[in-house]
Amino acid sequence: MQTELVTKTHNQAAELRIRDVLLNGLTVSSGAVDAISFLALGKVFSAFMTGNIAFLGLRVAGASAPGAVAILVSMAAFAVGVYVSTRIVKPSESSGMWPRGVTVALGASLIAHALFLAVWFATNGQPSIDVAHVLLGSWGFAMGMQSAAARTLRVDGVFTTAATATIIFLVGDIARWSATVAERRRLTGVLVSLFTGATAGGLLLVHAHIFAPVLPFVITAAVVSAAATVFAEKPSQGNR
């Protein structure tokens, strides 16, 4: 009995580390998405909705800002993605470290990533304004799906598509020193991952323009594959 308990504890610790790595991977993906969106699709974000709302306010004020249609398309697609993902990850399935519904939702987001790649390659990475709106909608939907799916994991301070809450949690801990070492490492990892993704996305766009959007697609696909393998539902063995 004690051996089984120790084994279960070790397995849970390993799954926890894997979960954090997968969340970091998703954050790298969203960092790359936003860097590419901002630089190549009219200075609009696909994941960072706070920035888009600020841009929309600038438009209303008559100040220099990205196009209103691009902003609204990205925001609307993101909202639809959140809605669809929330419907996929049902509350009854939200138990466990990484519910099956989260993997399904992330897998569905790959369809939007694939659509983005198809359109991007078809235009040789030089989309017109109208086509850019389609691309923003595709990635906005994918990022909404990802955000809602990650949220159901209930990991404090981790949203994968934004860093504001993470900074609040991390700096708040510096003031109170209430978090564990693992929690501080997790929060720091999210910030580093977002920076890494944005840097990688920017570098690829400059030096390998046509292949830049492949990075978030590959990372998300790897996360889905790993999650499906590691967190596969085990046959119920009943209560002991």
Side-chain angles (χ1 to χ4, degrees), residues 78-219:
F78 187 92
V80 173
V82 170
Y83 177 85
V84 173
S85 184
T86 302
R87 296 287 294 179
I88 291 174
V89 188
K90 298 179 177 62
S92 61
E93 298 175 350
S94 60
S95 60
M97 190 171 297
W98 190 290
R100 178 177 177 273
V102 173
T103 305
V104 173
L106 292 173
S109 76
L110 286 173
I111 299 174
H113 277 285
L115 174 61
F116 185 104
L117 285 176
V119 175
W120 177 266
F121 283 122
T123 59
N124 199 33
Q126 302 293 336
S128 64
I129 293 177
D130 290 339
V131 174
H133 293 162
V134 174
L135 294 176
L136 285 169
S138 297
W139 260 357
F141 180 81
M143 291 297 97
M145 291 278 287
Q146 176 180 310
S147 295
R151 177 177 173 271
T152 63
L153 298 178
R154 298 186 177 90
V155 183
D156 287 343
V158 178
F159 292 90
T160 75
T161 54
T164 303
T166 306
I167 293 174
I168 292 172
F169 272 77
L170 188 58
V171 177
D173 173 61
I174 293 174
R176 297 180 179 177
W177 208 249
S178 56
T180 64
V181 172
E183 288 170 333
R184 295 187 199 103
R185 185 185 301 117
R186 180 182 306 123
L187 295 174
T188 302
V190 168
L191 297 179
V192 172
S193 295
L194 194 61
F195 173 82
T196 300
T199 302
L203 286 172
L204 282 172
L205 202 61
V206 172
H207 300 288
H209 184 90
I210 191 66
F211 298 109
V214 174
L215 176 65
F217 174 81
V218 169
I219 292 176

Side-chain angles (χ1 to χ4, degrees), residues 1-21:
M1 185 67 178
Q2 186 174 1
T3 302
E4 290 182 0
L5 182 60
V6 171
T7 301
K8 183 178 180 180
T9 301
H10 283 317
N11 289 341
Q12 288 177 337
E15 289 183 348
L16 185 64
R17 288 192 294 271
I18 293 172
R19 183 203 65 183
D20 289 349
V21 169

